[in-house]
Amino acid sequence: MRADRIFAYGATAGLIGDLLLGDPRRGHPVAAFGRAAAGVERRLWRDHRGWGALHTLVCAGGAAGGAALLTRAVRRSPAASVALTAAVTWSVVGGTSLGREARAIGSALTAGDIDLARERLPHLCGRDPQSLDGPQIARAVVESVAENTSDAVVGALVWGALAGVPGLAGFRAVNTLDAMVGHTSARHRRYGWASARLDDLAGWPGARLTALLAVAAGGRPRGAVRAWRADADKHPSPNAGPVEASFAGALGVRLGGTLAYGGRVEHRPVLNGETGRAVETADIERAVRLSRRVGALALGVCVAGRLGAALAARRITGRRTAGPRIAGRRST
C-alpha cells in the first residue's frame, strides 16, 4: 500500500479514535515524553542557549527518530503501517479532551460556580485563575480553544501529511518542549530559546491553515478575514495571532487584552476590537464547535493534499521514465 493511502486511512482512524475515546487516562505517550524530557533537562540544564539547543535536539530528534524506526519496522505490512499511523495520530491529537475541558469550565460558569471554574482553568491554560472573573475566564477558554486547535490538532495533521508518523511525533514533541521550557521564565529564558523558536517554525503552516479553515467554517467569513488581516500581527506570538484573530472574527467576539501568567501581567492588543463584543459563557460552546469543524476540515485538506502530491509525483515520474518521443518517417 502506498504511503499516501497509509496516511489517509491511519490519520482518519486516529482522529475518529480521538473523537470516540479522547486522550488515554493512563500511560499517555505525550506524558511519558514529558517525563523523559524533564529528565534530560535535569542532566543538561545550563543557563546557555547552546545547551538548550542540545536539549531540543535530543528530545525532539529522539521522538522523530524513534517514530522513523517504528515506521521502518512495519513498512512491509500495510495493516501494521495503518495501525501505527492511527495509534500515533490518536496519541498526538487532543481535540476531544480540549473540548471536554472547555465545556467543563463553561458548565461551571453557567452554574455560577466561579471557584470550580478557576480550579479547572489550569488544565487548559497557564494563566493565574485567581485574578480572573467569569467573563475573563470565558475569554481565556475561547482563546485557549483557538490556539490549541492549531497546536493539538491541525499542526499535527499537517506534519503527518508532510512526513508521516515521524512528522506527527516530531511536531508533538516540539510543541510539548515549548510548553515545558519555551516560556520566558528566568530559568528558561536562554535554555528554552531553541525550543520556542523551533515551535514557531513548526507551528507556522498549521496556524495559517487553522486560520483559513476558521474563516471557512465560522459562519462570518468577512469578519474573520478582516480580524485576521487587521489584528494578527499585533499578537506577540506569530502563530497564535492569526488563529485567535480569525476565531475572534468568526465568532464575532473580542479577544486579547490584559492577562496574567504566574504573577506576570501582560497587556496584549485587542483582537477584533472594532466589531466584536465581549466574550460570554455561551461562546465557549460555540468555540468548541468551531474547533471541531476546523479539525474535520483539516483532516480532509491534509489527506487530499497528500494524495494529490503523490499523484502529481507519479505523473512526473511516469513522464520522465517514458522519455521524449521522436517523430520520423518510416523507412521503405
Side-chain angles (χ1 to χ4, degrees), residues 23 25 61 120 129 144-145 162 165 227 238 244 249 257 259 262 270 273 282 300 317:
D23 289 336
R25 297 188 181 276
R120 296 197 67 98
S144 296
V145 168
L162 292 172
V165 170
E244 291 186 20
L259 48 86
V270 175
T317 302

Side-chain angles (χ1 to χ4, degrees), residues 95-141:
T96 296
S97 295
L98 171 65
R100 286 175 181 171
E101 289 295 338
R103 283 170 168 155
I105 298 171
S107 296
L109 291 175
T110 300
D113 194 342
I114 188 71
D115 290 332
L116 179 59
R118 287 171 175 160
E119 180 182 338
R120 296 197 67 98
L121 186 62
H123 294 273
L124 198 62
C125 64
R127 300 185 192 181
D128 179 9
Q130 300 307 316
S131 65
L132 304 178
D133 59 18
Q136 290 172 328
I137 291 175
R139 193 194 80 198
V141 172

Side-chain angles (χ1 to χ4, degrees), residues 6-322:
I6 289 172
F7 171 75
Y9 299 150
T12 301
L15 211 62
I16 292 173
D18 176 68
L19 179 65
L20 296 176
L21 304 174
D23 289 336
R25 297 188 181 276
R26 293 184 179 180
H28 198 302
V30 176
F33 171 82
R35 290 191 294 271
V40 173
E41 181 185 355
R42 285 193 294 270
R43 290 182 176 273
L44 293 183
W45 186 88
R46 306 286 191 281
D47 191 17
H48 191 276
R49 285 186 176 184
W51 285 95
L54 179 60
H55 174 255
T56 303
L57 177 63
V58 169
C59 295
L69 290 175
L70 286 175
T71 301
R72 183 178 179 83
V74 301
R75 70 186 186 281
R76 297 185 182 279
S77 171
S81 297
V82 170
L84 176 64
T85 303
V88 175
T89 301
W90 172 56
S91 68
V92 303
V93 300
T96 296
S97 295
L98 171 65
R100 286 175 181 171
E101 289 295 338
R103 283 170 168 155
I105 298 171
S107 296
L109 291 175
T110 300
D113 194 342
I114 188 71
D115 290 332
L116 179 59
R118 287 171 175 160
E119 180 182 338
R120 296 197 67 98
L121 186 62
H123 294 273
L124 198 62
C125 64
R127 300 185 192 181
D128 179 9
Q130 300 307 316
S131 65
L132 304 178
D133 59 18
Q136 290 172 328
I137 291 175
R139 193 194 80 198
V141 172
V142 171
E143 290 172 354
S144 296
V145 168
E147 184 174 1
N148 283 292
T149 299
S150 176
D151 289 344
V153 183
V154 181
L157 292 174
V158 167
W159 280 100
L162 292 172
V165 170
L168 289 165
F171 175 80
R172 188 59 169 164
V174 169
N175 190 248
T176 303
L177 289 174
D178 179 61
M180 294 179 67
V181 304
H183 47 82
T184 56
S185 66
R187 175 180 175 85
H188 294 130
R189 185 171 292 111
R190 295 184 181 88
Y191 188 82
W193 178 86
S195 292
R197 297 291 78 76
L198 184 58
D199 183 67
D200 287 343
L201 290 173
W204 195 95
R208 273 71 193 170
L209 179 59
T210 302
L212 183 62
L213 295 179
V215 171
R220 299 170 180 259
R222 292 184 179 178
V225 170
R226 184 187 308 111
W228 182 2
R229 294 180 61 183
D231 299 328
D233 291 341
K234 300 176 183 178
H235 197 286
S237 169
N239 294 330
V243 173
E244 291 186 20
S246 63
F247 262 68
L251 296 171
V253 300
R254 295 192 303 271
L255 299 179
T258 302
L259 48 86
Y261 285 100
R264 185 180 81 255
V265 177
E266 292 185 16
H267 301 282
R268 293 183 177 178
V270 175
L271 308 177
N272 197 38
E274 293 186 5
T275 60
R277 55 172 173 77
V279 176
E280 301 172 354
T281 301
D283 294 316
I284 293 176
E285 178 63 26
R286 296 176 62 226
V288 171
R289 291 181 179 178
L290 176 56
S291 174
R292 295 187 69 170
R293 292 196 298 271
V294 168
L297 288 174
L299 175 65
V301 169
C302 290
V303 166
R306 181 68 183 263
L307 293 173
L311 178 60
R314 288 195 299 273
R315 287 180 176 176
I316 293 172
T317 302
R319 289 171 185 166
R320 289 176 177 173
T321 303

